Every structure is written in C-alpha cells, then in structure tokens.
Amino acid sequence: MTRLFNDPTAFADEALDGFVAAHRRWVRPVTGGVVRAGATPAGQVAVVIGGGSGHYPAFSGLVGRGLAHGAAVGNVFASPSAQQIRSVARAAHGGAGVLLMYGNYAGDVLHFGQAAERLTGEGVEARTFAVTDDISSAGPEETAKRRGIAGDLPVFKAAAAAAERGLPLDDVLAVAERANARTRSFGIAFSGCTLPGADHPLFTVAQARMAVGLGIHGEPGIGEEPLPTADEAARLLVTSLLAELPDDVEGPDRQRAAVILNGLGSVKYEELFVVYRTVAELLTDAGVEIVDPEVGELVTSFDMAGISLTLTWLDDDLEALWRAPADTPAFRKGALGTPEPVRAEPVIAEETDDLAAPEGSDASRRAAAVVLDVLDALAATVDAHVGELGRIDAVAGDGDHGIGMQRGSTAARRAAVDTHALGAGAGTVLVRAADAWADKAGGTSGALWGSMLRAVGTTLGDEDAPTAARVADGVRQASAAVRRLGGAEVGDKTMVDVLVPFADTLAAATAEGVPLAAAWDRAAGAAEAAAAATADLLPRKGRARPHAEKSLGTPDAGAHSLSLITRAVHGVLNDHIGEAI
Ligand SMILES: Nc1ncnc2c1ncn2[C@@H]1O[C@H](COP(=O)(O)OP(=O)(O)O)[C@@H](O)[C@H]1O
Ligand SMILES: O=C(COP(=O)(O)O)[C@@H](O)CO
C-alpha cells in the first residue's frame, strides 16, 4: 500500500521536488528531470538515463559523478516524454554528445528515440541504448525483446565510467553494448505493488506461493511456484542465471562477476542478506569470483515484495568500469576527488516554443471549433472510463493506461483551446494538441496518440475546409504513423488492431460518397468489433507480451480506449456536421 500522498496525479512531481530538496549536493532540477549539480566537464560524453517514477533509486538517484549526468523522470510507471528527455539532455550536454540509456520498454523506446532524433537535428549528437537484462521476459533467441530491470545499474555505470575516461560517443555506446550483452537478471515476487491512490495491488500472489520471473511494474510473474525458503530462493535465482550464460562465457568456473541482489520495495535488508549468504556460497562453489557485490534496493516497484539477482560477467575492462568510483544520492563507491562546485545559476527555465500560431482561414477556424468539441468528447470519454482502462491494462500490463490517457487527453484539450484562441486553423490546433498529449502523458500511448493527432492535423492543414475525403485521409495517415512508430501490425493485440479497420472502413465509406458522420458511424462499428475481438489474441508487442496467456479473454487496453473514443467522436460529428460534408 502506498499510504502517503496528496493528489495521486501529482505524486511523481511532488516526489521529484522532495528528492531534489534533499540532494542538492548532487543534483539540480531542470525541466523534465535532474542533472548533476556540477557541470558536465567540457568534452565529456553525457550519459542521460531515465524512465518512469516508482522505481527509486532508478533513475534520479543514480545521477552524480561516476554515474549518470542527468535523468529524465516520467510519471508513475510511464516513460518520460521526448520533450522532457530532450530538455534534460540539452542541460547535461558537455559538447561531446549524449548517450540516452533506459530499460527496454515500449514507451521508453519511442520517446528516447524521438528525443535522439530531435537532438541530433539540433546539433547535439545523440545515441540511444536500451538495457535488456531480464531473462524471464523473452527467450535466449529473442534477447532484444527482453525488459530492463536491475541490470540497468551495471550497464549505466559501465557507460558512464567510460564517459568519465573521456571516450568518444561511439566508444561509450560500444561499452554499453558489451556490458549489456554480459548482464543477466532474474527475479521472484510474493506480492504486487499498489499505486498511489489505488485501493488494491496490481496483482496478488496466493498465500504460500511466489510469482517467478517478475517485472518492475507490478507485472505478474510468468509462472507460479510454492513459496520457497531463503536458500531455495537463492538456488532458483543462481541456477536460472547460470543456465543463461552470455555467448562468450563458456562456463562459470574462474569467471568474475558483479553481483546485485535487489530488493523491489518491501523485502527488508536482513531478508536480503539471508538470501545473499547462499547466493554467494553457490556462486563461489561454481567457481565464480564475486566482484564488489551490491545487496539492497537499486531498482524498485513501490511496495512490491520481490527480489532479483543480476550478474554482470566481467572482463578486465568491465571490471575496472564496475569498480570505478561513483558518488550519487543512492549509489556510492570508492573515493572521488573534490567535487566540481555546485552551479549557482538558477534552474534552467522551460524552453517554450514560439507561442504565436499561424492564422487559419475562416473555414479552417470554423473546423477548429468542431475539433475542440471532438477533443472535449474524447477527454470526457477517457475520464468516464479511466478506472476500467486501468483494470484492463493491469491484467497483463502495468495498470496505467487510464491515467496515461487522462493526462494526455486533458493536456491536448487545454492546448487546443489555447491555440484556437490565437486564431489558428484546425491543422495547427490538432498539431499543438498532439504535442501536448505526447509531452504530458509520456508512455507508449502518449507517443502513439501524439503521432495520430499530428498526422490528422498535418493532413487537414489551416487553409481548406475539411472534406470527408480529407478527414478519412488524415485518419489513414494516422494509422500509418502509428504502425511506423510502434512497429506493430494487425494481430499483435494493440491499438493497431482497431486503428487499421477503422481507417479502412472510413476510407471505403467516404469513397462511396457516404457523408462523414455516417461513414464515421460505420467505421466506429468496425472499431468496436475489432476491439472486442482483441480478447481472443495473444499480445506480441508492448508490456503485455511476456504475460500473453494471462491476457487471453481480455481485450487490449489501447484497442478498447480507441474504440470508445471513435464512438464518442461520432456523437460530435453527428450533432455538429450532420450531412454537411
Ligand atoms: N508497438 C506498439 N504499437 C502500437 N500500439 C502499442 C504498441 N505497444 C503498446 N501499444 C498500445 O499501447 C497500449 C498501452 O498504453 P499505455 O498503458 O498507456 O502505455 P505503457 O505500456 O507505456 O504504460 C497497449 O494497450 C497497446 O494498445
Ligand atoms: O514504465 C516505464 C516506461 O515504460 P512504458 O512503456 O512507458 O510503460 C518505466 O517505469 C520504466 O522506464
């Protein structure tokens, strides 16, 4: 249970404020997260990490000398937005480029990727790297699909220590790749976490049972077994990892390994030590030389009861990087010289894009008024279903789909109202709403909904009055944009299963000359049927994939929300447009 909070939707921001107030020696706040209190030394690659809140000390607690130069901090269990990441990276940049590092989650991959593109376009050389240490989340033949859990720490640290040596960006990236290829984690859980404001945990484990193969977002494990003793738990963790050695490690005998026994939130230190005692014994019996072990909370999931074991198989260079000193709020090692002075200049102000909007034609401004009503209906629908969407997402995901959609749709509506008041046409209103959605929501759906609204807005433009064919074309462009960005296709159990038939039906009906509202009605019917049919699919993308079987019988959360929204939008089109276009 998370007991102490004010407004649950403000939890992540308020936690970050308090964290900064407590750690000014190490960090200073910037829009989107934190950077080191001292400047990145000129000519040093900046390592910028990030992810959702709810995992402390990941990610803000790992900012400081010897480790990250900055951290982008998202909402609870949702990746930070591309705009946040860009802002933190610009503040951390020391002139030698930026390596953006995160765990391998769909939302992080999308937002960090977009941030890197934008930074590079602005002249800040940027690369991305996703950590994939969790062996339970995909098989050895699909290591690129694995999630990042406590292995984030040794991989971030290796890259950051390489950056401290003055290596160029591509060499720092190569170190991250090598550390990741040699890092494996495996975990078990005894209870799920309860998000701030929620009254029940994201999952439960039956009395005297444990979930095997945990995630760090309250995802249920991939299997269930009887509750073990501490020694049995240690044996399971060690044998699972020794059975999954990296390709270039022939056997454990005479190998060196960095070892992390991580507590997820409510397993206490003494319990961890009891388990570690046997972990150390088993590894030593297998011939492994343990290097600088860490036992404690390094990547958490609120109050989740669970533990994970991480092994990084070291070569000489990786050992030196693992042993290198570090000084951050939550992770300290060795001794560093005198710290750089804490910068006295004020907090970097949020960069605001030019607020003026290009004026739309009269016809496009009238269309923009309908767009406002559409966004109102959209946000109201999300508000009315926020709990239901969260529950569906919690079956095999992280339970945040409702709150993510709510944050995004609320921000989009606000931005649309402001932009409309500046005299903008329908296209610009939608594009600004899209950017606000992606920025404020973060997460997978934030990036995808941002790209959808942007595609429709770009197609409508600010000059011509929208026609039925133009709207249908905009929706088609939106469908293509989501598939391009997320890489999912029909059948993967995502919102794409609804978006494609919706766009195709709308295009076919408008091509037959059916007026927009009636064509939309037909397309919304196709969307509803497609959303219901996702209940029979096994997920192949996103957070639900490792829990495929559990999701059978439940529709995909993003597919369901999209179908609800298409139906609500039909109401607006029917009332405002009728058969006019
Ligand atoms: N690669 C993808 N392409 C398209 N849609 C996706 C993809 N991955 C996930 N989704 C959609 O995103 C939804 C989850 O959104 P949300 O819960 O807001 O994001 P997150 O998983 O980042 O917390 C899923 O239900 C699915 O419809
Ligand atoms: O949840 C996180 C990001 O992944 P999403 O795909 O946006 O949910 C985050 O907590 C880990 O970085």
Side-chain angles (χ1 to χ4, degrees):
M1 193 79 192
T2 306
R3 295 181 182 79
L4 296 173
F5 52 87
N6 300 306
D7 170 4
T9 62
F11 185 88
D13 289 341
E14 293 182 354
L16 185 61
D17 287 349
F19 163 76
V20 168
H23 297 99
R24 291 199 186 278
R25 201 186 106 199
W26 292 273
V27 298
R28 65 200 296 264
V30 293
T31 300
V34 291
V35 292
R36 289 187 192 175
T40 298
Q44 187 173 107
V45 169
V47 171
V48 170
I49 61 175
S53 293
H55 305 301
Y56 192 83
F59 295 83
S60 53
L62 303 178
V63 173
R65 291 186 305 153
L67 240 157
H69 297 77
V73 180
N75 272 294
V76 170
F77 288 179
S79 71
S81 67
Q83 184 65 6
Q84 287 183 277
I85 298 159
R86 169 178 169 259
S87 157
V88 174
R90 288 178 69 94
H93 188 220
V98 188
L99 179 60
L100 304 175
M101 301 186 76
Y102 42 92
N104 189 30
Y105 297 95
D108 292 302
V109 171
L110 293 177
H111 287 282
F112 278 92
Q114 288 178 341
E117 265 177 37
R118 233 180 128 180
L119 286 161
T120 303
E122 294 165 354
V124 175
E125 214 185 335
R127 304 272 188 281
T128 57
F129 190 78
V131 179
T132 56
D133 56 307
D134 175 20
I135 65 169
S136 77
S137 52
E141 67 296 342
E142 294 187 308
T143 51
K145 288 188 177 168
R146 288 178 169 172
R147 307 179 286 215
I149 54 173
D152 281 351
L153 172 65
V155 181
F156 294 164
K157 184 170 188 305
E164 298 269 355
R165 284 179 182 170
L167 296 188
L169 183 56
D170 284 332
D171 292 7
V172 174
L173 175 61
V175 167
E177 283 163 355
R178 201 166 75 253
N180 186 57
R182 289 179 147 245
T183 299
R184 303 278 190 275
S185 301
F186 187 70
I188 53 179
F190 317 106
S191 79
C193 63
T194 305
L195 298 179
D199 54 10
H200 57 276
L202 283 177
F203 73 95
T204 51
V205 181
Q207 194 80 27
R209 306 278 295 168
M210 74 169 164
V212 177
L214 59 76
I216 57 166
H217 300 91
E219 299 96 333
I222 51 169
E224 220 180 270
E225 289 182 17
L227 188 68
T229 62
D231 285 352
E232 286 163 354
R235 189 160 295 110
L236 174 67
L237 297 176
V238 170
T239 49
S240 302
L241 291 182
L242 291 188
E244 258 268 7
L245 296 175
D247 292 344
D248 57 350
V249 175
E250 262 179 30
D253 193 25
R254 283 184 303 228
Q255 293 290 335
R256 289 159 289 165
V259 178
I260 299 173
L261 184 65
N262 179 55
L264 267 294
S266 66
V267 173
K268 298 324 301 167
Y269 274 71
E270 273 104 337
E271 284 175 278
L272 289 173
F273 291 137
V274 173
V275 176
Y276 184 73
R277 163 184 164 272
T278 308
V279 165
E281 196 177 292
L282 292 170
L283 287 173
T284 307
D285 287 352
V288 179
E289 183 192 331
I290 296 173
V291 178
D292 280 6
E294 292 288 336
V295 179
E297 293 186 351
L298 293 150
V299 176
T300 62
S301 184
F302 282 107
D303 57 336
M304 177 164 168
I307 59 174
S308 64
L309 182 67
T310 299
L311 300 181
T312 299
W313 298 94
L314 302 170
D315 54 25
D316 288 346
D317 198 38
L318 288 175
E319 178 172 348
L321 296 165
W322 174 241
R323 285 191 190 273
D327 182 26
T328 78
F331 185 86
R332 290 170 214 161
K333 199 189 251 295
L336 277 157
T338 323
E340 295 102 19
V342 172
R343 282 173 290 175
E345 73 261 38
V347 172
I348 296 161
E350 184 159 9
E351 279 181 56
T352 45
D353 290 329
D354 182 11
L355 278 184
E359 191 150 319
S361 68
D362 288 349
S364 187
R365 287 216 301 266
R366 278 194 298 279
V370 179
V371 167
L372 292 194
D373 287 332
V374 163
L375 291 175
D376 259 347
L378 191 166
T381 303
V382 171
D383 286 349
H385 292 87
V386 69
E388 177 193 348
L389 296 175
R391 277 192 298 281
I392 294 177
D393 190 31
V395 171
D398 57 356
D400 69 348
H401 186 61
I403 49 176
M405 289 290 289
Q406 193 172 44
R407 269 197 308 265
S409 57
T410 306
R413 178 171 52 180
R414 199 172 305 131
V417 169
D418 293 348
T419 311
H420 182 242
L422 296 171
T428 298
V429 165
L430 273 165
V431 167
R432 294 268 170 103
D435 290 349
W437 187 316
D439 185 27
K440 292 293 178 271
T444 313
S445 59
L448 297 177
W449 271 90
S451 77
M452 270 199 278
L453 295 190
R454 177 173 268 276
V456 177
T458 308
T459 311
L460 294 188
D462 291 330
E463 277 305 316
D464 302 330
T467 59
R470 179 79 67 97
V471 172
D473 186 33
V475 171
R476 251 212 156 120
Q477 301 298 336
S479 166
V482 165
R483 278 177 290 157
R484 210 169 36 243
L485 193 60
E489 283 304 335
V490 170
D492 287 345
K493 193 163 185 166
T494 70
M495 60 157 72
V496 168
D497 289 311
V498 169
L499 191 50
V500 168
F502 175 72
D504 290 351
T505 310
L506 187 66
T510 54
E512 278 172 29
V514 178
L516 179 62
W520 194 286
D521 186 26
R522 207 184 278 180
E528 285 160 339
T534 61
D536 300 328
L537 297 175
L538 289 173
R540 293 197 294 245
K541 289 270 174 194
R543 185 60 61 69
R545 188 188 47 76
H547 310 287
E549 308 298 332
K550 283 200 165 64
S551 91
L552 264 188
T554 306
D556 172 66
H560 183 55
S561 60
L562 177 56
S563 89
L564 292 171
I565 288 165
T566 60
R567 180 49 69 200
V569 172
H570 169 250
V572 176
L573 297 180
N574 211 28
D575 293 350
H576 288 65
I577 295 181
E579 298 201 347
I581 57 171

